[in-house]
């Protein structure tokens, strides 16, 4: 199985997204939009056009548009992940063929015209692997995982050597320790969007030294 031909982050000239038939790359730097003609209300995932192969890289991803009922997934994949191999594929989501992917997932369910009570909003953190990741729905201190809204910014720190993905939203830090079998593998930022015209923007990427990725 061939790996995606993406440049490593340490040498990438610009941060953006890998082309996908499920998304529009609108010309605005870093912006990716779920295909506007999509009639399938299921997750599809956009993957950044660079691999983090060493050190740490932190991405800032701004939520520009979320169509109600809101749904978004933010996380990471390795080159072995079968991204978008079936309906509803998103990093951190439950289901078959989700190996080598991890992340934060939020989905709401509501009837048209009705406000969704908290009981219909599912937020979880998890991914594949038996020795490193379990699905959770609360922070270590017992507070519920934060919900994402339009205008929020996710900060995603990828640390391939240590097998660690840290996602920060609204001041809450969520850490995923990857299975030992995936530690040391290249990692790429991945964002799942569910509804037509939902969009995010990759605002910035910074190395562990705090310098912009060249």
């Amino acid at each position: 199985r061939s790996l995606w031909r993406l440049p490593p982050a340490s040498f990438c000239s610009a941060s953006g997204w890998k082309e996908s038939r499920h998304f529009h790359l609108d010309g605005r730097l870093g912006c990716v939009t779920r295909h506007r003609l999509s009639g399938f209300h299921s997750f599809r995932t956009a993957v950044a056009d660079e691999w983090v192969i060493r050190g740490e890289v932190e991405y800032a991803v701004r939520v520009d548009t979320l169509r109600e009922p809101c749904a978004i997934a933010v996380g990471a994949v390795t080159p072995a992940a079968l991204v978008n191999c079936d309906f509803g594929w998103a990093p951190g989501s439950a289901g078959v063929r989700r190996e080598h992917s991890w992340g934060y997932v939020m989905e709401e369910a509501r009837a048209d015209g009705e406000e969704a009570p908290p009981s219909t909003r599912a937020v979880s953190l998890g991914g594949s692997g038996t020795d490193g990741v379990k699905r959770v729905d609360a922070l270590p201190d017992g507070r519920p995982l934060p919900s994402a809204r339009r205008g929020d910014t996710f900060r995603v720190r990828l640390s391939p050597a240590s097998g660690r993905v840290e996602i920060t939203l609204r001041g809450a830090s969520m850490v995923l320790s990857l299975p030992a079998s995936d530690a040391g593998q290249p990692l790429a930022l991945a964002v799942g969007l569910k509804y037509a015209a939902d969009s995010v923007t990759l605002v910035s990427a910074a190395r562990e030294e705090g310098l912009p990725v060249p």
Side-chain angles (χ1 to χ4, degrees):
R1 183 167 57 207
S2 63
L3 304 183
W4 297 334
R5 298 178 181 277
L6 305 186
S10 299
F11 307 104
C12 192
S13 60
S15 292
W17 302 96
K18 181 177 180 288
E19 290 188 3
S20 168
R21 64 188 179 89
H22 303 293
F23 292 89
H24 299 288
L25 302 180
D26 288 336
R28 289 184 292 146
L29 184 62
C31 181
V32 64
T33 302
R34 185 74 166 88
H35 201 292
R36 295 183 181 87
L37 298 181
S38 173
F40 295 105
H41 300 327
S42 63
F43 273 120
R44 295 294 187 179
T45 294
V47 178
D49 68 350
E50 60 186 16
W51 292 110
V52 181
I53 59 175
R54 61 175 178 265
E56 294 184 344
V57 175
E58 181 176 291
Y59 297 93
V61 180
R62 185 183 67 233
V63 181
D64 295 326
T65 305
L66 280 185
R67 173 182 171 185
E68 296 186 354
C70 300
I72 189 170
V74 178
V77 299
T78 74
L82 299 177
V83 177
N84 295 328
C85 65
D86 61 6
F87 291 108
W89 204 103
S93 63
V96 298
R97 298 198 289 181
R98 300 296 198 274
E99 294 86 357
H100 315 292
S101 68
W102 310 270
Y104 162 102
V105 182
M106 185 194 77
E107 290 188 85
E108 287 183 347
R110 67 176 64 179
D112 291 342
E114 295 182 5
E115 184 175 354
S119 60
T120 64
R121 182 183 303 126
V123 186
S124 64
L125 188 72
S128 68
T130 58
D131 58 347
V133 176
K134 296 181 180 179
R135 189 168 304 282
V136 299
D137 58 9
L139 297 169
D141 61 8
R143 290 180 297 153
L145 297 175
S147 296
R149 288 292 180 267
R150 178 179 178 180
D152 283 346
T153 296
F154 285 87
R155 295 195 175 274
V156 184
R157 179 175 287 264
L158 305 184
S159 308
S162 58
R164 190 171 185 268
V165 175
E166 180 179 2
I167 302 168
T168 303
L169 175 64
R170 296 188 174 186
S173 176
M174 299 165 280
V175 177
L176 290 162
S177 296
L178 309 188
S181 57
D182 284 296
Q185 293 299 308
L187 292 172
L189 172 71
V191 174
L193 297 173
K194 191 172 183 180
Y195 297 108
D198 281 359
S199 65
V200 299
T201 295
L202 181 52
V203 179
S204 65
R207 295 183 186 177
E208 58 184 338
E209 299 88 356
L211 299 176
V213 175

